[in-house]
Amino acid sequence: MTASLQKGRPLKQLTRGLCPSQLALSTSRHARGQRRLALRVQAGEKEKVLAILYEAKDGAKNPQLLSCVENELGLREFLEEKGVEYVVTADKDGENSEMEKHLEDATIFISTPFHPGYLTKERLDKAPKLKLAITAGIGSDHVHLDSAAANGLTVAEATGSNNVSTAEQAVMQILVLVRNFVPAHEQIAEGGWDIGAVCKNAYDLEGKTVGIVGAGRIGRLVMERLKAFNIEKMVYF
């Protein structure tokens, strides 16, 4: 780890546009963080990984559902073979939570987007050994980034890990809207059967023009999947 990351960006990008005094302060903070890390490594300090995951209960029977407490991201055997202490919990809120208990001597922190453990300024101030905060997915909204930078903490995410899922979700939502699915489902759930009320606003996707706002990694995947529906035209912005 040679650079602090903020939203997945290296220190050089983070300091772009700063005035000389701000740049000196940012660089100094980064250097202090790297020195602390080097001292810990030289001292042979044992690593401790704290993972905040959700409880999947019956869903955990699916071994591919890794990001839950029960399946532990599939990391326990790997980490313990290397002598790393691995703590996994869903308890993340309040002063008496398991997260608060273990954060003070954790060196690596892992969280997920949908059950985030919040690394506030106050929590980071009480976690002097922490050197890496990872999102097992996308996003860093749960981390106080200014404090992370000041403490020389690397903040990282699995960029692109949800691209396919998000693209497929978008295609599903397009179909749900075009086919007027939700009103039809609600009508049937309430015991109704008014075909005309549903069909008057239900259409085929074939031959339509579809607009996509943002043709980046996800937008391009959406367009690739829409080809199979014989779209007349795709417009992207």
Side-chain angles (χ1 to χ4, degrees), residues 3-183:
S4 290
L5 299 181
Q6 189 178 53
K7 292 187 177 179
R9 294 176 293 170
L11 181 66
K12 182 177 180 181
Q13 293 181 17
L14 295 177
T15 55
R16 186 176 298 155
L18 297 181
C19 68
S21 60
Q22 291 173 318
L23 179 58
L25 177 59
S26 177
T27 304
S28 174
R29 287 171 173 172
H30 172 68
R32 288 200 303 271
Q34 293 303 308
R35 285 196 296 271
R36 287 197 298 269
L37 174 56
L39 288 173
R40 288 196 295 266
V41 172
Q42 291 172 7
E45 183 175 308
K46 184 177 180 179
E47 301 285 354
K48 179 176 181 178
V49 177
L50 171 61
I52 304 299
L53 309 176
Y54 60 88
E55 294 180 349
K57 301 177 182 177
D58 287 344
K61 294 177 182 178
N62 180 353
Q64 293 184 329
L65 194 63
L66 294 175
S67 57
C68 59
V69 169
E70 295 87 346
N71 293 333
E72 304 179 314
L73 292 171
L75 290 176
R76 182 166 295 281
E77 182 178 353
F78 171 79
L79 291 174
E80 291 185 346
E81 283 180 353
K82 299 182 179 302
V84 177
E85 182 181 357
Y86 188 35
V87 177
V88 178
T89 181
D91 184 17
K92 62 188 181 69
D93 298 319
E95 295 181 356
N96 298 319
S97 65
E98 287 296 302
M99 178 176 169
E100 288 279 349
K101 174 183 175 182
H102 292 283
L103 190 60
E104 63 181 20
D105 63 344
T107 55
I108 298 174
F109 178 82
I110 304 175
S111 189
T112 61
F114 301 114
H115 188 75
Y118 286 92
L119 290 178
T120 61
K121 181 182 185 303
E122 292 73 23
R123 280 179 162 173
L124 288 175
D125 288 343
K126 293 186 289 185
K129 297 182 179 181
L130 197 62
K131 58 189 178 185
L132 175 62
I134 307 173
T135 302
I138 302 301
S140 56
D141 297 347
H142 58 290
V143 181
H144 193 285
L145 295 175
D146 288 340
S147 295
N151 292 335
L153 174 65
T154 295
V155 180
E157 64 175 24
T159 302
S161 61
N162 67 340
N163 287 355
V164 171
S165 298
T166 305
E168 291 183 358
Q169 175 82 11
V171 173
M172 180 187 73
Q173 290 177 321
I174 290 172
L175 290 170
V176 165
L177 288 170
V178 171
R179 301 300 301 172
N180 203 27
F181 177 83
V182 173

Side-chain angles (χ1 to χ4, degrees), residues 179-192:
R179 301 300 301 172
N180 203 27
F181 177 83
V182 173
H185 172 76
E186 291 177 345
Q187 184 194 109
I188 294 172
E190 294 170 359

Side-chain angles (χ1 to χ4, degrees), residues 167 170-171 174 209-227 231 233-237:
V171 173
I174 290 172
T209 297
V210 178
I212 298 175
V213 179
R217 292 186 297 265
I218 295 172
R220 290 178 182 275
L221 290 175
V222 172
M223 287 189 280
E224 289 175 4
R225 283 150 179 76
L226 288 175
K227 286 181 181 179
I231 301 297
K233 185 184 298 183
M234 281 187 278
V235 182
Y236 61 90
F237 304 89

